[in-house]
Amino acid sequence: MGILRGIEMGFAKTFGGVSVAIGMMTAPAAWADVTAGQVWADFKGYMEGFGYSITAEEAQDAGRLTVTGISMTMQMPEDAGTATFEAPDMSFTDNGDGTVSVTMPEMSTLDFAVDAEDEGDVSGTIDYGQTGFAMTVSGSPGDMFYDYSADEMSVALSSLAVEGESVQIDTAQFTIRDMQGQSTVKLDDLRRVAQRMTMGALAYELDMVSPEDDGGRLTMKGELTSPEFDGTLATPLEPLDSDDPNAMIEAGMAVDGGFTHSGGRTEFRFVEEDDAVEGTASSESGEVSVRMDAGQMGYTLGARGLNLRAESAELPFPVELAMAESLLDFTVPVTPGEEPQDFGLTLTLGDFTMSDMIWQMFDPAGQLPRDPATVALDLKGKARLDAPLMAPETMESDEAPGELRELSISSLIVRLAGAELTGVGDFTFDNTDTTTFDGMPRPEGALDLRLVGGNTLLDTLVNMGMLPQEQAMGARMMMGLFAVPGDGEDTLTSKIEVNEAGQVLANGQRLR
Protein backbone atom coordinates (compact mmCIF):
# COMPACT_ATOMS: atom_id res chain seq x y z
CA MET A 1 0.00 0.00 0.00
CA GLY A 2 2.19 3.17 0.20
CA ILE A 3 3.19 5.80 2.62
CA LEU A 4 -0.26 7.30 3.08
CA ARG A 5 -1.75 4.04 4.30
CA GLY A 6 1.30 3.49 6.46
CA ILE A 7 0.98 6.89 8.12
CA GLU A 8 -2.75 6.38 8.59
CA MET A 9 -2.27 2.96 10.14
CA GLY A 10 0.56 4.21 12.32
CA PHE A 11 -1.32 7.19 13.71
CA ALA A 12 -4.51 5.19 14.12
CA LYS A 13 -2.71 2.53 16.09
CA THR A 14 -0.67 4.98 18.12
CA PHE A 15 -3.40 7.33 19.21
CA GLY A 16 -6.07 4.62 19.27
CA GLY A 17 -3.80 2.47 21.38
CA VAL A 18 -2.63 5.30 23.62
CA SER A 19 -6.20 6.51 24.16
CA VAL A 20 -7.23 3.06 25.34
CA ALA A 21 -3.97 2.53 27.20
CA ILE A 22 -4.42 5.90 28.92
CA GLY A 23 -7.99 4.83 29.31
CA MET A 24 -7.41 1.41 30.89
CA MET A 25 -8.95 2.45 34.22
CA THR A 26 -11.72 2.32 37.06
CA ALA A 27 -12.21 2.35 40.82
CA PRO A 28 -9.86 0.46 43.17
CA ALA A 29 -10.76 -3.07 44.18
CA ALA A 30 -9.86 -3.97 47.76
CA TRP A 31 -9.92 -7.72 47.13
CA ALA A 32 -6.93 -7.92 44.78
CA ASP A 33 -3.52 -6.34 44.19
CA VAL A 34 -1.49 -5.18 41.24
CA THR A 35 2.12 -4.06 41.15
CA ALA A 36 3.86 -1.33 39.19
CA GLY A 37 5.63 -3.90 37.03
CA GLN A 38 2.39 -5.66 36.19
CA VAL A 39 0.73 -2.45 35.05
CA TRP A 40 3.69 -1.59 32.81
CA ALA A 41 3.64 -5.14 31.41
CA ASP A 42 -0.07 -4.77 30.65
CA PHE A 43 0.58 -1.55 28.73
CA LYS A 44 3.38 -3.20 26.73
CA GLY A 45 1.28 -6.27 26.02
CA TYR A 46 -1.55 -4.14 24.66
CA MET A 47 0.68 -2.19 22.27
CA GLU A 48 2.65 -5.29 21.21
CA GLY A 49 -0.65 -6.93 20.33
CA PHE A 50 -1.04 -4.27 17.63
CA GLY A 51 2.31 -5.15 16.10
CA TYR A 52 4.57 -2.66 17.90
CA SER A 53 8.06 -3.56 19.03
CA ILE A 54 8.75 -1.66 22.28
CA THR A 55 12.05 -0.78 23.86
CA ALA A 56 12.53 1.27 27.04
CA GLU A 57 14.79 1.86 30.02
CA GLU A 58 13.32 0.65 33.33
CA ALA A 59 14.46 1.76 36.78
CA GLN A 60 12.99 0.37 40.03
CA ASP A 61 13.34 2.34 43.26
CA ALA A 62 11.37 1.96 46.53
CA GLY A 63 8.10 0.80 45.07
CA ARG A 64 8.34 3.04 42.03
CA LEU A 65 9.05 1.95 38.47
CA THR A 66 10.26 4.70 36.13
CA VAL A 67 10.21 3.99 32.42
CA THR A 68 12.13 6.30 30.10
CA GLY A 69 13.20 6.33 26.46
CA ILE A 70 10.06 4.52 25.35
CA SER A 71 10.31 3.74 21.63
CA MET A 72 7.61 1.96 19.62
CA THR A 73 8.38 0.67 16.12
CA MET A 74 5.86 -0.78 13.70
CA GLN A 75 6.30 -2.40 10.31
CA MET A 76 3.94 -0.66 7.90
CA PRO A 77 1.53 -2.65 5.69
CA GLU A 78 2.80 -4.36 2.53
CA ASP A 79 6.47 -3.87 3.48
CA ALA A 80 6.16 -0.13 2.86
CA GLY A 81 8.70 0.71 5.56
CA THR A 82 8.70 1.31 9.30
CA ALA A 83 7.16 3.86 11.62
CA THR A 84 8.77 4.80 14.93
CA PHE A 85 7.19 6.76 17.79
CA GLU A 86 8.96 8.05 20.89
CA ALA A 87 6.51 8.11 23.83
CA PRO A 88 6.73 10.29 26.96
CA ASP A 89 8.31 8.95 30.15
CA MET A 90 6.01 7.17 32.59
CA SER A 91 6.16 6.42 36.32
CA PHE A 92 4.32 3.57 38.07
CA THR A 93 4.08 3.89 41.86
CA ASP A 94 2.84 1.20 44.27
CA ASN A 95 0.45 2.93 46.68
CA GLY A 96 0.75 0.31 49.43
CA ASP A 97 -2.92 -0.71 49.19
CA GLY A 98 -2.75 -2.95 46.14
CA THR A 99 -3.22 -0.10 43.68
CA VAL A 100 -0.77 1.66 41.35
CA SER A 101 -0.64 5.32 40.37
CA VAL A 102 0.55 6.23 36.87
CA THR A 103 2.06 9.65 36.19
CA MET A 104 3.53 11.42 33.17
CA PRO A 105 5.34 14.75 32.81
CA GLU A 106 3.19 17.84 32.43
CA MET A 107 5.04 18.63 29.21
CA SER A 108 6.75 16.13 26.93
CA THR A 109 7.43 15.46 23.27
CA LEU A 110 6.66 12.51 21.04
CA ASP A 111 8.96 12.16 18.04
CA PHE A 112 7.83 10.10 15.08
CA ALA A 113 9.49 8.98 11.87
CA VAL A 114 8.12 7.03 8.93
CA ASP A 115 10.85 5.40 6.85
CA ALA A 116 8.96 4.50 3.68
CA GLU A 117 10.40 2.48 0.87
CA ASP A 118 10.13 4.02 -2.63
CA GLU A 119 8.32 7.07 -1.24
CA GLY A 120 9.12 10.17 0.77
CA ASP A 121 10.07 9.78 4.42
CA VAL A 122 8.02 11.71 6.99
CA SER A 123 9.14 12.85 10.42
CA GLY A 124 8.01 15.29 13.05
CA THR A 125 7.46 16.14 16.69
CA ILE A 126 4.28 16.19 18.73
CA ASP A 127 4.09 18.24 21.92
CA TYR A 128 2.04 16.60 24.64
CA GLY A 129 0.84 18.49 27.70
CA GLN A 130 -1.42 17.78 30.64
CA THR A 131 -2.50 19.37 33.90
CA GLY A 132 -4.21 17.68 36.80
CA PHE A 133 -3.75 14.22 35.33
CA ALA A 134 -4.40 11.33 37.72
CA MET A 135 -4.60 7.61 37.01
CA THR A 136 -5.12 4.71 39.41
CA VAL A 137 -4.89 1.04 38.47
CA SER A 138 -6.30 -1.74 40.61
CA GLY A 139 -7.54 -5.32 40.36
CA SER A 140 -5.29 -8.25 39.56
CA PRO A 141 -3.10 -9.41 36.67
CA GLY A 142 -5.36 -10.34 33.80
CA ASP A 143 -8.26 -8.39 35.28
CA MET A 144 -7.25 -4.77 35.77
CA PHE A 145 -9.36 -1.71 36.53
CA TYR A 146 -8.40 1.83 35.59
CA ASP A 147 -9.72 5.19 36.72
CA TYR A 148 -8.37 8.42 35.26
CA SER A 149 -9.06 12.12 35.00
CA ALA A 150 -7.39 15.33 33.85
CA ASP A 151 -8.15 19.02 34.00
CA GLU A 152 -6.67 19.45 30.53
CA MET A 153 -4.74 17.43 27.95
CA SER A 154 -3.35 18.77 24.68
CA VAL A 155 -1.60 17.34 21.64
CA ALA A 156 0.08 19.64 19.13
CA LEU A 157 2.09 18.97 15.99
CA SER A 158 5.08 21.26 16.42
CA SER A 159 7.14 20.17 13.40
CA LEU A 160 6.66 18.15 10.23
CA ALA A 161 9.11 17.29 7.46
CA VAL A 162 8.56 15.36 4.23
CA GLU A 163 11.67 14.06 2.47
CA GLY A 164 13.73 16.31 4.69
CA GLU A 165 11.82 19.46 3.69
CA SER A 166 9.96 21.28 6.46
CA VAL A 167 6.23 21.85 6.05
CA GLN A 168 5.04 25.11 7.54
CA ILE A 169 2.35 24.38 10.09
CA ASP A 170 1.90 27.28 12.48
CA THR A 171 -0.75 25.51 14.57
CA ALA A 172 -2.15 21.98 14.60
CA GLN A 173 -3.53 21.18 18.02
CA PHE A 174 -6.44 19.65 19.85
CA THR A 175 -7.20 20.08 23.55
CA ILE A 176 -9.41 18.08 25.90
CA ARG A 177 -10.79 19.69 29.04
CA ASP A 178 -12.38 18.15 32.15
CA MET A 179 -11.77 14.54 31.15
CA GLN A 180 -12.90 11.56 33.20
CA GLY A 181 -12.82 7.91 32.23
CA GLN A 182 -13.03 4.34 33.41
CA SER A 183 -11.81 1.17 31.72
CA THR A 184 -11.46 -2.52 32.37
CA VAL A 185 -8.91 -4.85 30.81
CA LYS A 186 -9.51 -8.59 31.05
CA LEU A 187 -7.31 -11.36 29.68
CA ASP A 188 -8.70 -14.76 28.78
CA ASP A 189 -8.47 -16.11 25.24
CA LEU A 190 -8.43 -12.46 24.10
CA ARG A 191 -7.53 -9.09 25.54
CA ARG A 192 -10.88 -7.41 26.24
CA VAL A 193 -11.06 -3.68 26.89
CA ALA A 194 -14.22 -1.81 27.86
CA GLN A 195 -13.98 1.96 28.13
CA ARG A 196 -16.14 4.96 28.87
CA MET A 197 -14.79 8.51 28.72
CA THR A 198 -16.48 11.90 29.13
CA MET A 199 -15.08 15.35 28.42
CA GLY A 200 -16.28 18.85 29.12
CA ALA A 201 -15.06 20.02 25.71
CA LEU A 202 -12.75 19.11 22.85
CA ALA A 203 -11.18 22.08 21.06
CA TYR A 204 -9.13 22.02 17.86
CA GLU A 205 -7.13 24.57 15.91
CA LEU A 206 -5.31 24.42 12.57
CA ASP A 207 -3.25 27.09 10.79
CA MET A 208 -1.12 25.91 7.90
CA VAL A 209 0.33 27.10 4.60
CA SER A 210 -0.53 25.17 1.43
CA PRO A 211 2.18 22.56 0.71
CA GLU A 212 1.88 23.49 -2.98
CA ASP A 213 3.68 26.78 -2.22
CA ASP A 214 0.98 28.75 -4.07
CA GLY A 215 0.33 31.27 -1.32
CA GLY A 216 -2.66 29.38 0.00
CA ARG A 217 -3.42 29.21 3.71
CA LEU A 218 -6.00 27.32 5.77
CA THR A 219 -7.08 28.30 9.27
CA MET A 220 -9.68 26.44 11.28
CA LYS A 221 -10.79 26.65 14.89
CA GLY A 222 -13.62 24.86 16.65
CA GLU A 223 -14.95 23.06 19.68
CA LEU A 224 -17.22 20.14 20.53
CA THR A 225 -19.34 20.33 23.68
CA SER A 226 -19.58 17.41 26.12
CA PRO A 227 -18.01 14.69 23.94
CA GLU A 228 -18.42 11.12 25.17
CA PHE A 229 -16.88 7.82 24.10
CA ASP A 230 -18.22 4.40 25.01
CA GLY A 231 -16.94 1.19 23.49
CA THR A 232 -15.35 -2.22 23.68
CA LEU A 233 -12.37 -3.74 21.93
CA ALA A 234 -11.20 -7.36 21.78
CA THR A 235 -7.78 -8.21 20.35
CA PRO A 236 -5.81 -11.47 20.13
CA LEU A 237 -3.02 -11.94 22.65
CA GLU A 238 -0.56 -12.61 19.84
CA PRO A 239 0.64 -9.76 17.58
CA LEU A 240 -1.70 -8.88 14.73
CA ASP A 241 -0.87 -8.89 11.03
CA SER A 242 -2.04 -5.46 9.89
CA ASP A 243 -1.67 -6.51 6.23
CA ASP A 244 -4.62 -8.90 6.58
CA PRO A 245 -7.71 -7.46 8.32
CA ASN A 246 -9.53 -10.75 7.80
CA ALA A 247 -6.84 -12.61 9.75
CA MET A 248 -7.39 -10.17 12.63
CA ILE A 249 -11.14 -10.84 12.56
CA GLU A 250 -10.64 -14.61 12.39
CA ALA A 251 -8.30 -14.36 15.38
CA GLY A 252 -11.10 -12.75 17.39
CA MET A 253 -10.62 -9.02 16.91
CA ALA A 254 -13.87 -7.12 17.52
CA VAL A 255 -14.69 -3.41 17.84
CA ASP A 256 -17.88 -1.76 18.99
CA GLY A 257 -17.57 1.89 19.94
CA GLY A 258 -19.23 5.23 19.52
CA PHE A 259 -18.44 8.92 19.95
CA THR A 260 -21.14 11.52 20.61
CA HIS A 261 -21.26 15.24 21.32
CA SER A 262 -23.98 17.72 22.27
CA GLY A 263 -22.99 20.57 19.99
CA GLY A 264 -20.13 21.78 17.83
CA ARG A 265 -18.96 24.91 16.05
CA THR A 266 -16.13 25.53 13.58
CA GLU A 267 -14.76 28.77 12.13
CA PHE A 268 -12.74 28.44 8.92
CA ARG A 269 -10.88 30.60 6.43
CA PHE A 270 -9.14 29.51 3.24
CA VAL A 271 -7.00 31.92 1.23
CA GLU A 272 -5.84 31.15 -2.29
CA GLU A 273 -4.18 33.79 -4.45
CA ASP A 274 -6.50 36.85 -4.35
CA ASP A 275 -9.60 35.11 -3.02
CA ALA A 276 -10.61 34.12 0.49
CA VAL A 277 -13.48 31.91 1.63
CA GLU A 278 -14.48 32.09 5.26
CA GLY A 279 -17.43 31.09 7.37
CA THR A 280 -18.79 28.98 10.18
CA ALA A 281 -20.29 25.50 10.53
CA SER A 282 -22.22 24.24 13.53
CA SER A 283 -24.39 21.38 14.74
CA GLU A 284 -26.61 20.77 17.76
CA SER A 285 -25.37 17.20 18.25
CA GLY A 286 -23.60 14.39 16.44
CA GLU A 287 -22.43 10.80 16.58
CA VAL A 288 -19.92 8.45 14.99
CA SER A 289 -19.82 4.74 15.69
CA VAL A 290 -17.98 1.72 14.29
CA ARG A 291 -18.67 -1.95 14.84
CA MET A 292 -16.87 -4.95 13.40
CA ASP A 293 -16.52 -8.59 14.32
CA ALA A 294 -16.71 -11.99 12.66
CA GLY A 295 -20.40 -11.43 11.99
CA GLN A 296 -20.83 -7.97 10.55
CA MET A 297 -19.22 -4.61 9.94
CA GLY A 298 -21.17 -1.40 10.43
CA TYR A 299 -20.70 2.34 10.47
CA THR A 300 -22.91 5.21 11.61
CA LEU A 301 -22.39 8.92 11.00
CA GLY A 302 -25.08 11.35 12.06
CA ALA A 303 -25.70 14.96 13.03
CA ARG A 304 -28.64 17.18 13.93
CA GLY A 305 -29.21 20.88 13.65
CA LEU A 306 -26.56 21.50 10.96
CA ASN A 307 -25.84 25.05 9.82
CA LEU A 308 -23.30 26.40 7.33
CA ARG A 309 -22.50 30.00 6.48
CA ALA A 310 -19.77 30.93 3.99
CA GLU A 311 -18.82 34.11 2.17
CA SER A 312 -16.28 35.15 -0.42
CA ALA A 313 -15.38 38.26 -2.39
CA GLU A 314 -16.44 36.41 -5.53
CA LEU A 315 -19.96 35.81 -4.18
CA PRO A 316 -22.54 38.63 -4.14
CA PHE A 317 -23.90 37.51 -0.76
CA PRO A 318 -23.19 34.95 2.00
CA VAL A 319 -24.22 31.33 1.40
CA GLU A 320 -26.40 30.00 4.20
CA LEU A 321 -27.54 26.38 4.37
CA ALA A 322 -29.19 24.31 7.11
CA MET A 323 -30.31 20.73 7.66
CA ALA A 324 -32.33 19.35 10.54
CA GLU A 325 -30.83 15.86 10.31
CA SER A 326 -28.24 13.89 8.39
CA LEU A 327 -27.62 10.18 8.84
CA LEU A 328 -25.59 7.48 7.13
CA ASP A 329 -25.78 3.97 8.54
CA PHE A 330 -24.78 0.72 6.88
CA THR A 331 -24.23 -2.88 7.92
CA VAL A 332 -22.66 -5.65 5.81
CA PRO A 333 -21.58 -9.24 6.55
CA VAL A 334 -17.86 -9.95 6.59
CA THR A 335 -17.56 -13.72 7.03
CA PRO A 336 -18.68 -16.21 4.34
CA GLY A 337 -21.38 -18.74 5.09
CA GLU A 338 -23.84 -21.10 3.41
CA GLU A 339 -26.89 -19.15 4.57
CA PRO A 340 -27.76 -15.61 3.40
CA GLN A 341 -26.88 -12.86 5.89
CA ASP A 342 -28.47 -9.49 6.64
CA PHE A 343 -27.25 -6.16 5.25
CA GLY A 344 -28.74 -2.69 5.41
CA LEU A 345 -28.33 0.94 4.39
CA THR A 346 -30.05 4.02 5.78
CA LEU A 347 -29.49 7.48 4.31
CA THR A 348 -31.27 10.61 5.51
CA LEU A 349 -30.83 14.22 4.46
CA GLY A 350 -33.71 15.72 6.37
CA ASP A 351 -35.33 19.16 6.14
CA PHE A 352 -32.69 20.90 4.04
CA THR A 353 -33.15 24.67 3.69
CA MET A 354 -31.22 27.55 2.14
CA SER A 355 -31.39 31.30 2.55
CA ASP A 356 -33.81 33.51 0.59
CA MET A 357 -30.84 35.16 -1.12
CA ILE A 358 -29.97 31.86 -2.81
CA TRP A 359 -33.59 31.29 -3.79
CA GLN A 360 -33.69 34.77 -5.33
CA MET A 361 -30.97 33.79 -7.81
CA PHE A 362 -33.21 31.36 -9.71
CA ASP A 363 -36.70 32.09 -8.33
CA PRO A 364 -36.98 35.85 -7.78
CA ALA A 365 -40.78 35.80 -8.07
CA GLY A 366 -41.13 33.14 -5.37
CA GLN A 367 -43.06 30.72 -7.59
CA LEU A 368 -41.51 27.57 -6.09
CA PRO A 369 -42.57 26.45 -2.60
CA ARG A 370 -39.66 26.93 -0.23
CA ASP A 371 -40.56 24.16 2.16
CA PRO A 372 -37.66 22.13 3.60
CA ALA A 373 -36.40 19.39 1.26
CA THR A 374 -35.81 15.78 2.32
CA VAL A 375 -34.17 12.74 0.76
CA ALA A 376 -34.44 9.51 2.77
CA LEU A 377 -33.80 5.88 1.88
CA ASP A 378 -33.98 2.75 4.01
CA LEU A 379 -32.80 -0.52 2.42
CA LYS A 380 -32.62 -3.97 3.95
CA GLY A 381 -31.73 -7.28 2.42
CA LYS A 382 -29.98 -10.62 2.52
CA ALA A 383 -26.88 -11.75 0.66
CA ARG A 384 -24.75 -14.88 0.68
CA LEU A 385 -21.07 -14.10 1.11
CA ASP A 386 -18.76 -16.57 -0.63
CA ALA A 387 -15.41 -15.05 0.37
CA PRO A 388 -14.17 -13.08 3.39
CA LEU A 389 -15.09 -9.47 2.72
CA MET A 390 -11.96 -8.05 4.39
CA ALA A 391 -9.45 -10.45 2.84
CA PRO A 392 -6.88 -8.64 0.65
CA GLU A 393 -7.64 -10.83 -2.37
CA THR A 394 -11.38 -10.08 -2.05
CA MET A 395 -10.86 -6.33 -1.84
CA GLU A 396 -8.56 -6.38 -4.86
CA SER A 397 -10.83 -8.58 -6.98
CA ASP A 398 -13.28 -7.24 -9.59
CA GLU A 399 -15.64 -10.14 -8.95
CA ALA A 400 -18.58 -9.85 -6.56
CA PRO A 401 -17.76 -11.71 -3.32
CA GLY A 402 -21.22 -13.26 -3.08
CA GLU A 403 -24.84 -13.31 -4.22
CA LEU A 404 -27.67 -10.86 -3.62
CA ARG A 405 -30.75 -12.83 -2.49
CA GLU A 406 -33.31 -10.33 -1.14
CA LEU A 407 -33.79 -6.56 -1.19
CA SER A 408 -36.48 -4.55 0.58
CA ILE A 409 -37.03 -0.83 0.12
CA SER A 410 -38.56 -0.15 3.50
CA SER A 411 -38.88 3.55 2.81
CA LEU A 412 -38.15 5.99 -0.02
CA ILE A 413 -38.90 9.70 0.37
CA VAL A 414 -37.95 12.54 -1.96
CA ARG A 415 -39.59 15.81 -0.95
CA LEU A 416 -38.64 18.91 -2.94
CA ALA A 417 -40.22 22.21 -4.11
CA GLY A 418 -43.76 21.16 -3.25
CA ALA A 419 -43.60 17.67 -4.78
CA GLU A 420 -43.20 14.39 -2.92
CA LEU A 421 -42.24 10.93 -4.15
CA THR A 422 -42.60 7.96 -1.78
CA GLY A 423 -42.17 4.26 -2.31
CA VAL A 424 -41.84 0.79 -0.80
CA GLY A 425 -40.92 -2.51 -2.41
CA ASP A 426 -39.63 -6.06 -2.04
CA PHE A 427 -37.61 -8.19 -4.43
CA THR A 428 -35.95 -11.59 -4.47
CA PHE A 429 -33.15 -12.55 -6.87
CA ASP A 430 -32.56 -15.79 -8.78
CA ASN A 431 -28.80 -16.13 -9.16
CA THR A 432 -29.15 -19.16 -11.44
CA ASP A 433 -30.58 -16.87 -14.14
CA THR A 434 -28.19 -14.12 -15.22
CA THR A 435 -29.26 -14.03 -18.89
CA THR A 436 -32.77 -12.58 -18.65
CA PHE A 437 -31.40 -9.27 -17.37
CA ASP A 438 -28.01 -9.34 -19.12
CA GLY A 439 -25.65 -10.53 -16.39
CA MET A 440 -27.79 -9.47 -13.44
CA PRO A 441 -29.54 -12.05 -11.24
CA ARG A 442 -33.22 -12.13 -12.25
CA PRO A 443 -35.36 -10.11 -9.81
CA GLU A 444 -38.94 -10.91 -8.83
CA GLY A 445 -41.13 -8.57 -6.83
CA ALA A 446 -42.81 -5.18 -6.91
CA LEU A 447 -42.16 -1.52 -6.15
CA ASP A 448 -45.08 0.77 -5.21
CA LEU A 449 -44.57 4.48 -5.90
CA ARG A 450 -46.69 7.55 -5.18
CA LEU A 451 -46.05 11.04 -6.55
CA VAL A 452 -47.89 14.09 -5.26
CA GLY A 453 -47.48 17.52 -6.86
CA GLY A 454 -45.46 16.36 -9.86
CA ASN A 455 -47.52 18.07 -12.56
CA THR A 456 -47.73 21.27 -10.55
CA LEU A 457 -43.96 21.34 -10.23
CA LEU A 458 -43.56 20.83 -14.00
CA ASP A 459 -45.98 23.71 -14.71
CA THR A 460 -44.08 25.99 -12.36
CA LEU A 461 -40.71 25.16 -13.91
CA VAL A 462 -42.12 25.88 -17.39
CA ASN A 463 -43.57 29.21 -16.25
CA MET A 464 -40.19 30.15 -14.75
CA GLY A 465 -38.43 29.36 -18.01
CA MET A 466 -36.25 26.74 -16.37
CA LEU A 467 -37.80 23.82 -18.30
CA PRO A 468 -38.72 23.91 -22.02
CA GLN A 469 -42.32 23.02 -22.77
CA GLU A 470 -41.32 20.05 -24.98
CA GLN A 471 -39.24 18.52 -22.18
CA ALA A 472 -42.13 18.94 -19.75
CA MET A 473 -44.42 17.22 -22.27
CA GLY A 474 -41.96 14.34 -22.54
CA ALA A 475 -41.89 14.00 -18.75
CA ARG A 476 -45.71 13.90 -18.65
CA MET A 477 -45.76 11.20 -21.33
CA MET A 478 -43.36 9.11 -19.24
CA MET A 479 -45.52 9.58 -16.16
CA GLY A 480 -48.55 8.55 -18.20
CA LEU A 481 -46.75 5.40 -19.28
CA PHE A 482 -45.65 4.35 -15.81
CA ALA A 483 -48.35 5.84 -13.55
CA VAL A 484 -52.12 6.15 -13.09
CA PRO A 485 -54.14 8.85 -11.27
CA GLY A 486 -54.29 8.41 -7.52
CA ASP A 487 -56.92 9.25 -4.92
CA GLY A 488 -56.04 12.93 -4.57
CA GLU A 489 -55.46 16.10 -6.57
CA ASP A 490 -52.27 15.96 -8.67
CA THR A 491 -51.52 12.47 -7.37
CA LEU A 492 -50.08 9.60 -9.39
CA THR A 493 -49.39 6.03 -8.33
CA SER A 494 -47.38 3.29 -9.97
CA LYS A 495 -46.79 -0.38 -9.30
CA ILE A 496 -43.68 -1.68 -11.06
CA GLU A 497 -43.56 -5.48 -11.06
CA VAL A 498 -41.11 -8.09 -12.27
CA ASN A 499 -42.74 -11.52 -12.49
CA GLU A 500 -41.22 -14.99 -12.43
CA ALA A 501 -40.98 -15.01 -16.24
CA GLY A 502 -38.81 -11.89 -16.18
CA GLN A 503 -41.58 -9.66 -17.52
CA VAL A 504 -41.67 -6.04 -16.35
CA LEU A 505 -45.11 -4.53 -15.80
CA ALA A 506 -46.32 -1.08 -14.82
CA ASN A 507 -49.80 -1.12 -13.29
CA GLY A 508 -50.48 -4.41 -15.04
CA GLN A 509 -49.31 -3.21 -18.47
CA ARG A 510 -46.34 -5.13 -19.83
CA LEU A 511 -43.28 -2.96 -20.59
CA ARG A 512 -40.79 -5.76 -21.25
Side-chain angles (χ1 to χ4, degrees), residues 151-212:
D151 296 333
E152 183 174 289
M153 301 183 73
S154 64
V155 176
L157 181 63
S158 59
S159 69
L160 178 66
V162 178
E163 294 185 313
E165 296 292 331
S166 296
V167 177
Q168 183 179 343
I169 299 178
D170 292 344
T171 305
Q173 175 175 309
F174 74 84
T175 302
I176 296 172
R177 295 190 291 271
D178 300 327
M179 179 186 68
Q180 292 187 348
Q182 299 81 38
S183 298
T184 62
V185 181
K186 296 180 182 293
L187 302 182
D188 41 47
D189 57 327
L190 298 169
R191 182 183 300 272
R192 305 179 190 274
V193 180
Q195 180 181 3
R196 175 171 174 77
M197 180 169 60
T198 63
M199 294 159 274
L202 188 157
Y204 46 91
E205 185 173 358
L206 176 66
D207 185 351
M208 64 177 293
V209 174
S210 171
E212 302 296 329

Side-chain angles (χ1 to χ4, degrees), residues 204-245:
Y204 46 91
E205 185 173 358
L206 176 66
D207 185 351
M208 64 177 293
V209 174
S210 171
E212 302 296 329
D213 195 24
D214 55 4
R217 191 180 195 94
L218 172 65
T219 59
M220 183 181 298
K221 180 177 9 178
E223 183 172 290
L224 298 177
T225 303
S226 301
E228 295 187 6
F229 173 82
D230 196 347
T232 60
L233 171 67
T235 59
L237 301 180
E238 298 299 321
L240 300 173
D241 179 5
S242 59
D243 275 350
D244 189 351

